[in-house]
């Protein structure tokens, strides 16, 4: 064993340690944290968030100002001042009458954007201004000249000749239409409705023989004032004047709709910048013309409430926030979801809101002022699809105006007017009836047409419950062509909001993925974990769970088989009877959350029950509350008899809840089209309790990250 060497020996060998007491580095040495016992309060207190600090500072400033004003008033309250006040009392009263107090909400602009209409107004207004969400831009051709095929699409023979009206839409569509017509006859016989024999043939023979009547312009009391182009012609025209620009104008103008089916219109635009530029131009024109705020300098004094969908896209919301804060320079901005705004407008605390718009239908259960996240459903059809289907059915029955083309502006407006005046869901009104309309074209005499209609007036809005009758072929065109989905910066997965009810519907509709494409789809953002599912639409499991709730008490541990319900339509309106099974009897398919190749087209009654099932979560009391508090809003619900028909459909699907099911309309005779805007205006006036305002200073420092702190829901 070698002993310890002496210091002299080490020095002789050059191994002695020398130390000048200098550190190895001048960087501060941080001791290691004791992993067993350490604590930090970083981001654990409200005063560490800028949003909360600014809010508290504003409250303190307001409190200080109020106290100073009160002290100043007390200090100036002297006897002589009181005497003078009595002497000048009348003058003060006159001054008070001349300068009234500012109305609540008079400095708040409420904006609700839809696919077809924009509703805008001040929060102090009783009703909003409605402006078509369209812009006409100079172009080489108009939209009807861009599309060779008319709308609705017609098939032709191989030699180019036109087919008979019964064949112009294809055998598949005609067979479905004839089946729906036969089912309606059976249902009317069961309800003891009187029907004339050969009604269909009578209508077709009448329409074949009728010829239009020409009316000169000076004899037409309802003639249309077409938009006259100034000199030089403007680069763009916005709103209702854009729809009244003649198709054959010189120069030509082309219509652009920035929103289609509740999504940003990526099909008709070539760049994201032009898309949002058109949105800002439409909003700017509406604020100037409809609200009278012609100077942009005034806008900095106003706040803005912006309505967004329940199932929104984060990229759209953040872009809208930037536009409102930067381009419009509003003082404050806040967001509210459509269904929550609808309950505000109707004065309900809890409801299942069914919002049927022009091109999308959204369903969401609201409970105690909050949207139930897993109940949100967004379907891509609406009143515009009913208009197109009604025209197809009329053309199938030898409509006298066979040249109708919805790409033409006057034909589109005519079709919308016919749908509003003729369509009904009341079976008592289904009979051969005579209607008329006036066709007004710029530069031509008015033509008056007379036609007969039979069951088309009922079967067209029936498409809400059998949506495969709609033309859904082009609704996914251009999807994700301009706007990428919002993704998480850590794992690259899509972080747009998802809903269990929507995922279940998409799973039922999901086509089978090819084996060689699975790996590619799993590697793409937002498609992780998507597996192949049967191509045939299946009944969603949520509906099975509702029937299981009917059949088995909650206290039972072992569930019993659900009763068979004959005639329950499957997803997408398939008329084959289906037997709903409980969740324990059938394996649950994997949920499809993010698949941009799946179009959510689903029967409305089944979608409502799916939403309610996910909101109730097997709680029978909640189920009965939601199913007895269904509120239908939106312009698509204005069809006569729609509420009663929807009640009957839901009672047929769920006989165990037949007594509780009730479809309600907005109270106080409020127009269903403006309920959402009305609720947003009420929300904008809640200045004392609304903590979701985003100010300019906050946005300058934190940007759209503020949404995580300011939203009333999980951003």
């Amino acid at each position: 064993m070698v002993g310890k060497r002496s210091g002299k020996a080490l020095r002789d060998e050059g191994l002695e340690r020398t130390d000048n007491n200098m550190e190895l580095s001048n960087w501060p040495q941080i001791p290691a944290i004791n992993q067993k016992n350490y604590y930090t309060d970083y981001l654990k207190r409200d005063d560490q968030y800028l949003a909360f600090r600014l809010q508290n500072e504003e409250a303190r400033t307001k409190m200080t100002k109020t106290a100073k004003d009160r002290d100043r008033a007390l200090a100036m309250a002297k006897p002589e001042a009181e005497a003078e006040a009595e002497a000048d009392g009348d003058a003060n009263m006159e001054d008070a009458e001349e300068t009234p107090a500012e109305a609540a909400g008079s400095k708040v602009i409420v904006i609700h954007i839809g696919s077809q209409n924009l509703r805008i107004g001040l929060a102090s207004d009783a009703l909003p201004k409605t402006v078509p969400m369209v812009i006409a831009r100079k172009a080489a051709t108009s939209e009807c000249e861009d599309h060779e095929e008319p709308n609705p699409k017609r098939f032709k023979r191989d030699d180019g000749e036109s087919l008979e009206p019964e064949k112009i839409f294809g055998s598949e569509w005609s067979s479905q239409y004839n089946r729906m017509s036969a089912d309606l006859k059976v249902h009317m016989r069961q309800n003891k409705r009187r029907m004339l024999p050969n009604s269909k043939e009578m209508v077709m023979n009448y329409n074949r023989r009728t010829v239009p009547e020409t009316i000169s312009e000076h004899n037409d009391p309802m003639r249309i004032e077409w938009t006259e182009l100034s000199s030089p012609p403007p680069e763009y025209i916005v709103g209702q004047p854009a729809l009244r620009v003649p198709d054959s104008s010189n120069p030509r103008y082309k219509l652009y709709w920035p929103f289609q089916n509740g999504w940003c219109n990526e099909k008709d635009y070539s760049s994201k910048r032009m898309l949002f530029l058109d949105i800002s131009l439409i909003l700017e024109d509406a604020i100037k013309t409809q609200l009278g705020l012609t100077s942009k300098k005034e806008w900095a004094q106003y706040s803005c409430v912006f309505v967004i969908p329940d199932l929104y896209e984060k990229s759209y919301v953040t872009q809208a926030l930037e536009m409102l804060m930067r381009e419009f320079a509003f003082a404050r901005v806040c967001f509210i979801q459509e269904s929550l705004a609808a309950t505000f407008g109707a004065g309900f605390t809890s409801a299942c809101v069914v919002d049927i718009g022009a091109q999308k239908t959204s369903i969401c259960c609201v409970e105690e002022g909050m949207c139930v996240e897993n109940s949100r459903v967004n379907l891509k059809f609406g009143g515009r699809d009913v208009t197109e289907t009604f025209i197809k059915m009329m053309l199938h029955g030898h409509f006298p105006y066979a040249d109708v083309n919805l790409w033409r502006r006057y034909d589109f407006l005519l079709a919308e007017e016919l749908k509003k005046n003729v369509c009904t869901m009341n079976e008592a009104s289904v009979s051969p009836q005579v209607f008329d309309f006036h066709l007004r074209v710029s530069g031509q005499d008015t033509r008056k047409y007379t036609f007969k209609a039979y069951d088309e007036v009922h079967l067209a809005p029936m498409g809400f419950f059998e949506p495969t009758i709609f033309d859904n072929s082009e609704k996914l065109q251009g999807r994700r062509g301009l706007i990428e989905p919002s993704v998480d910066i850590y794992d690259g997965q899509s972080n747009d909001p998802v809903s269990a009810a929507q995922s279940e519907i998409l799973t039922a509709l999901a086509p089978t993925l090819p084996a060689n494409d699975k790996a590619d789809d799993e590697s793409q953002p937002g498609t992780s974990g998507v597996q192949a599912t049967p191509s045939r639409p299946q009944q969603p499991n949520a509906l099975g769970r509702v029937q299981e709730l009917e059949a088995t008490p909650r206290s039972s541990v072992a569930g019993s088989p659900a009763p068979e319900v004959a005639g329950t339509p499957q997803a997408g309106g398939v008329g084959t009877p289906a037997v709903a099974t409980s969740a324990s009897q059938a394996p649950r398919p994997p949920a499809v959350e993010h698949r941009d190749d799946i179009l959510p087209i689903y029967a409305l009654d089944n979608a409502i029950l799916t939403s309610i099932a996910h909101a109730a979560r097997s709680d029978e009391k909640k189920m009965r509350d939601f199913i007895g508090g269904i509120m239908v809003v939106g312009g698509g619900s204005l069809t006569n008899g729609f509420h009663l028909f929807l009640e009957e459909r839901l009672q047929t699907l769920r006989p165990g809840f037949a007594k509780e099911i009730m479809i309600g309309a907005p109270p106080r005779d409020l127009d269903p089209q403006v309920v959402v805007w009305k609720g947003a205006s009420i929300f904008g006036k809640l200045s004392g309790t609304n903590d979701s305002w985003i100010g300019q200073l906050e946005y300058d420092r934190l940007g759209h990250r503020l949404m995580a702190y300011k939203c009333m829901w999980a951003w």
Side-chain angles (χ1 to χ4, degrees):
M1 179 177 177
V2 178
K4 184 177 179 181
R5 306 289 297 272
S6 65
K8 183 178 181 300
L10 291 174
R11 185 174 61 252
D12 293 342
E13 295 179 8
L15 299 176
E16 182 183 17
R17 178 183 176 186
T18 60
D19 192 355
N20 55 6
N21 293 325
M22 293 184 65
E23 299 289 342
L24 296 177
S25 171
N26 57 1
W27 287 92
Q29 300 296 316
I30 301 176
I33 296 176
N34 182 1
Q35 296 291 331
K36 294 182 179 179
N37 183 19
Y38 71 93
Y39 173 78
T40 178
D41 62 353
Y42 177 64
L43 292 184
K44 290 186 178 179
R45 299 197 311 268
D46 285 349
D47 57 4
Q48 293 176 335
Y49 293 97
L50 176 65
F52 290 101
R53 289 206 308 272
L54 292 176
Q55 184 178 331
N56 292 335
E57 289 174 8
E58 183 180 354
R60 283 196 300 269
T61 303
K62 186 176 181 180
M63 186 186 305
T64 304
K65 183 177 181 299
T66 304
K68 288 181 178 179
D69 292 343
R70 185 174 61 251
D71 294 342
R72 187 180 297 110
L74 291 174
M76 296 177 64
K78 297 179 180 179
E80 57 269 21
E82 294 178 0
E84 293 177 2
E86 291 177 1
D88 300 335
D90 296 336
N92 292 338
M93 291 179 61
E94 292 177 0
D95 294 341
E97 292 176 0
E98 292 176 1
T99 58
E102 187 178 273
S106 59
K107 292 291 185 180
V108 179
I109 298 174
V110 183
I111 299 174
H112 180 204
I113 295 179
S115 298
Q116 190 160 311
N117 290 310
L118 162 69
R119 291 185 170 85
I120 188 170
L122 298 176
S124 57
D125 294 341
L127 294 173
K129 306 291 193 301
T130 300
V131 180
M133 191 66 192
V134 64
I135 183 171
R137 285 187 171 276
K138 274 186 182 180
T141 56
S142 61
E143 61 272 13
C144 65
E145 296 170 341
D146 281 346
H147 298 83
E148 296 180 0
E149 294 290 333
N151 185 16
K153 296 179 182 177
R154 283 95 150 169
F155 290 103
K156 292 186 177 181
R157 294 192 308 191
D158 295 336
D159 56 1
E161 294 293 328
S162 298
L163 292 167
E164 296 81 4
E166 296 87 351
K167 301 178 181 178
I168 57 176
F169 300 116
S171 58
E172 183 178 353
W173 188 89
S174 296
S175 62
Q176 184 177 0
Y177 172 43
N178 293 330
R179 178 188 59 77
M180 291 174 62
S181 182
D183 292 345
L184 178 61
K185 287 183 180 179
V186 172
H187 193 266
M188 292 178 66
R189 288 196 186 100
Q190 291 175 350
N191 292 337
K192 304 296 188 292
R193 301 285 185 192
R194 182 183 176 186
M195 293 184 298
L196 296 175
N198 302 326
S199 299
K200 204 80 171 175
E201 289 74 13
M202 292 169 52
V203 169
M204 296 172 67
N205 291 332
Y206 180 88
N207 290 340
R208 281 194 190 100
R209 296 193 307 268
T210 185
V211 292
E213 175 188 352
T214 303
I215 302 175
S216 58
E217 185 177 358
H218 62 273
N219 288 331
D220 184 8
M222 303 294 292
R223 58 182 177 271
I224 294 175
E225 297 295 333
W226 299 94
T227 301
E228 295 184 2
L229 302 179
S230 60
S231 181
E235 285 295 324
Y236 62 88
I237 304 172
V238 174
Q240 188 67 32
L243 294 176
R244 292 302 185 188
V245 176
D247 293 89
S248 58
S249 63
N250 186 19
R252 293 284 196 274
Y253 281 84
K254 184 177 179 180
L255 296 185
Y256 290 91
W257 302 83
F259 286 90
Q260 292 286 310
N261 303 113
W263 287 325
C264 289
N265 184 2
E266 300 172 83
K267 179 178 70 173
D268 296 334
Y269 283 89
S270 58
S271 69
K272 177 181 176 181
R273 187 186 66 82
M274 287 298 299
L275 171 62
F276 282 96
L277 175 62
D278 280 0
I279 295 175
S280 65
L281 289 175
I282 296 173
L283 291 177
E284 180 180 341
D285 183 83
I287 293 174
K288 290 181 177 179
T289 58
Q290 304 298 324
L291 305 184
L293 304 176
T294 55
S295 175
K296 277 195 172 184
K297 295 179 181 179
E298 299 176 343
W299 298 3
Q301 305 172 12
Y302 285 78
S303 304
C304 177
V305 178
F306 196 84
V307 183
I308 60 174
D310 305 319
L311 276 175
Y312 53 88
E313 294 183 352
K314 283 191 174 182
S315 56
Y316 162 65
V317 177
T318 55
Q319 192 76 27
L321 176 60
E322 181 180 357
M323 177 177 63
L324 297 174
M325 299 299 289
R326 291 286 179 261
E327 294 185 32
F328 295 167
F330 289 129
R332 300 183 302 171
V333 173
C334 71
F335 294 91
I336 185 172
Q337 293 170 294
E338 286 178 339
S339 295
L340 179 59
T343 57
F344 268 86
F348 297 156
T349 56
S350 299
C352 176
V353 180
V354 182
D355 186 355
I356 305 175
Q359 298 182 20
K360 78 168 176 62
T361 298
S362 60
I363 307 165
C364 180
C365 294
V366 180
E367 185 179 15
E368 300 299 333
M370 291 292 290
C371 293
V372 182
E373 292 185 355
N374 283 331
S375 70
R376 295 175 292 181
V377 173
N378 195 307
L379 306 175
K380 300 304 179 184
F381 57 74
R384 173 71 181 270
D385 297 277
V386 175
T387 302
E388 184 177 335
T389 304
F390 174 67
I391 294 299
K392 290 176 73 171
M393 291 179 176
M394 292 305 304
L395 289 171
H396 190 273
H398 294 262
F399 191 53
Y401 179 36
D403 194 33
V404 60
N405 181 5
L406 297 184
W407 291 122
R408 291 196 289 255
R409 295 154 202 170
Y410 55 85
D411 281 349
F412 166 72
L413 296 174
L414 171 65
E416 287 284 336
E417 182 183 356
L418 283 177
K419 179 196 69 174
K420 293 176 183 177
N421 297 336
V422 173
C423 287
T424 179
M425 299 295 287
N426 187 1
E427 287 186 358
S429 303
V430 178
S431 62
Q433 299 181 59
V434 180
F435 303 95
D436 59 59
F437 65 90
H438 293 78
L439 178 65
R440 297 177 175 91
V441 185
S442 176
Q444 300 180 18
D445 288 336
T446 302
R447 283 173 285 172
K448 180 181 179 181
Y449 285 86
T450 304
F451 69 97
K452 274 190 177 182
Y454 177 46
D455 56 2
E456 300 92 347
V457 299
H458 183 84
L459 295 181
M462 265 286 292
F464 287 129
F465 307 95
E466 297 199 26
T468 50
I469 197 70
F470 295 150
D471 183 8
N472 306 312
S473 58
E474 297 183 356
K475 292 183 179 179
L476 282 177
Q477 285 188 7
R479 179 71 174 146
R480 296 302 182 195
L482 300 178
I483 303 175
E484 293 295 327
S486 177
V487 295
D488 191 274
I489 61 175
Y490 297 106
D491 57 13
Q493 300 296 320
S494 175
N495 60 4
D496 282 333
V498 295
S499 160
Q502 184 81 353
S503 298
E504 191 157 348
I505 288 176
L506 293 179
T507 302
L509 300 174
T512 304
L513 287 175
N516 55 352
D517 290 344
K518 282 185 186 179
D520 296 339
D521 285 332
E522 289 178 359
S523 63
Q524 292 178 359
T527 58
S528 175
V530 176
Q531 301 179 13
T533 55
S535 58
R536 181 183 178 85
Q538 301 293 328
Q539 189 78 4
N541 292 318
L543 304 183
R545 287 197 293 276
V546 177
Q547 286 198 339
E548 186 180 7
L549 179 62
E550 297 178 26
T552 308
R554 291 189 63 207
S555 59
S556 175
V557 178
S560 60
E564 296 185 2
V565 180
T568 303
Q570 288 188 353
V574 181
T576 309
V579 179
T581 59
S582 66
S584 60
Q585 292 173 330
R588 185 171 183 175
V592 177
E593 294 182 349
H594 293 287
R595 280 277 300 276
D596 289 328
D597 61 335
I598 303 174
L599 184 66
I601 294 293
Y602 205 70
L604 180 61
D605 46 358
N606 281 336
I608 293 173
L609 293 176
T610 305
S611 173
I612 293 177
H614 281 278
R617 291 172 296 186
S618 301
D619 187 335
E620 186 174 357
K621 182 179 182 303
K622 285 187 178 180
M623 173 70 66
R624 297 186 184 279
D625 289 343
F626 284 130
I627 212 165
I630 301 175
M631 180 178 64
V632 181
V633 299
S637 65
L638 293 176
T639 305
N640 182 31
F642 181 82
H643 294 69
L644 291 176
F645 186 86
L646 180 57
E647 265 188 22
E648 293 177 3
R649 295 279 299 197
L650 293 176
Q651 289 169 355
T652 303
L653 290 178
R654 296 293 167 262
F657 293 96
K659 294 182 180 179
E660 285 85 4
I661 292 175
M662 185 174 67
I663 310 297
R668 302 183 297 275
D669 296 328
L670 195 61
D671 186 356
Q673 299 179 93
V674 303
V675 172
V676 174
W677 182 93
K678 189 66 177 177
S681 69
I682 295 172
F683 179 73
K685 288 186 281 191
L686 299 177
S687 58
T689 57
N690 186 355
D691 299 335
S692 56
W693 289 108
I694 299 174
Q696 286 284 353
L697 176 60
E698 301 166 278
Y699 186 76
D700 290 340
R701 295 188 182 180
L702 295 180
H704 61 80
R705 287 177 293 171
L706 272 168
M707 297 293 290
Y709 309 122
K710 290 294 189 176
C711 290
M712 297 183 297
W713 62 91
W715 172 259

